[in-house]
Amino acid sequence: MPEGHLVHRHADEQHAALSGRVVRATSPQGRFDARPYDGRPVTEVEAVGKHLLYHVDGAPAIHVHLGMRGLFLRHADPSAVPKPGTRLRLATDEVAYDLIAPLQCEPLGPQALAALRASLGPDPLRGDATRSEAVERLTAFRGPVGAAVLDQGVWAGIGNAWRAELLFLTGLHPGAGGIGLDAAARLWEAATAYMPLGRDAGQIVSDPDAPDERWVYKRERCRRCGAAVRTWQLASRTAYACPVDQPG
């Protein structure tokens, strides 16, 4: 599933291409009613955690969650024939974006949109997120920190790869419970420092000097010390930890 850095990357690119422009909206697959959006200007494309939102003048927001299989295709030629399974196409005279196989693609009115926002914790990639709220939500979670950071109601946008790497960078064991204020603040600072690098690069970046490498995620041995990386199931996902750098 694309993590928040990739959803923000999609949102930033599409905002630059579509905002302020009238779009031709269609559903080649026929599973989304695009008629309320056709011929209207897009006012904003934004990401909130793993959710992407299109704001269109005079119409409900379009809410997209890519899930495990969803993807966007960009066509420099807006007349290009869409691939089978295209749920939504938004096109201008210069470009077209196709949404294929999303988990969710639905209209959201003001109340539903407010409910979605309220269900999500602070997003490290959004300017309206505050460290104080992030620390408060994380320290209030009753369970291991490795479960907390995957709970989108605690922090929005973090998935399994970022969990592994951010916890390593801050020396926190995924199974640690009762995380304190200082550790929570340190983890938030790491998320706000590294996730923008990932957004800009289009991949997880946990070491700016070696952006294609990971410290523990999907590694047999820790890249820092060489110890065998421990793995186990935590919050229905594989957790990774170095027994030396993240003692538990």
Side-chain angles (χ1 to χ4, degrees):
M1 180 183 298
E3 301 191 26
H5 67 294
L6 291 179
V7 180
H8 274 269
R9 185 178 176 87
H10 287 307
D12 290 350
E13 177 187 326
Q14 294 186 42
H15 179 80
L18 302 177
S19 181
R21 295 172 174 84
V22 171
V23 295
R24 296 186 298 279
T26 58
S27 179
Q29 186 187 53
R31 292 182 56 190
F32 179 79
D33 184 3
R35 292 172 297 178
Y37 306 94
D38 189 37
R40 295 179 179 272
V42 172
T43 58
E44 184 182 9
V45 185
E46 64 168 330
V48 186
K50 299 178 184 180
H51 303 262
L52 187 142
L53 298 165
Y54 297 98
H55 300 280
V56 180
D57 188 41
I62 301 174
H63 166 229
V64 172
H65 192 295
L66 292 174
M68 297 296 292
R69 298 176 56 242
L71 57 90
F72 287 106
L73 292 179
R74 180 186 184 277
H75 299 281
D77 177 4
S79 66
V81 176
K83 292 184 178 297
T86 299
R87 186 77 53 87
L88 173 66
R89 167 171 281 195
L90 296 177
T92 68
D93 291 337
E94 293 82 27
V95 68
Y97 288 94
D98 289 352
L99 172 64
I100 298 173
L103 177 66
Q104 292 174 293
C105 176
E106 60 183 353
L108 286 188
Q111 288 186 327
L113 180 58
L116 173 66
R117 293 189 190 276
S119 73
L120 299 171
D123 178 344
L125 287 166
R126 287 183 62 93
D128 55 5
T130 65
R131 186 174 74 165
S132 59
E133 181 186 4
V135 168
E136 180 180 359
R137 288 188 182 235
L138 188 60
T139 55
F141 187 84
R142 299 306 176 205
V145 64
V149 295
L150 290 188
D151 186 330
Q152 301 301 294
V154 177
W155 292 1
I158 292 178
N160 202 38
W162 278 118
R163 171 176 77 169
E165 295 296 281
L166 291 172
L167 291 176
F168 174 85
L169 287 166
T170 50
L172 295 171
H173 190 278
I179 187 170
L181 295 175
D182 289 345
R186 192 167 72 249
L187 185 58
W188 179 254
E189 288 167 2
T192 58
Y194 285 91
M195 289 184 72
L197 301 180
R199 175 200 59 208
D200 296 345
Q203 64 179 26
I204 301 293
V205 177
S206 53
D207 181 357
D209 294 327
D212 294 331
E213 298 288 345
R214 311 290 173 261
W215 294 107
V216 292
Y217 180 64
K218 292 189 174 180
R219 292 184 63 94
E220 292 185 1
R221 295 194 171 275
C222 172
R223 193 165 67 87
R224 178 182 290 166
C225 72
V229 173
R230 288 191 56 228
T231 62
W232 70 101
Q233 291 297 300
L234 177 59
S236 301
R237 302 297 301 276
T238 302
Y240 301 83
C242 171
V244 176
D245 294 296
Q246 297 166 273

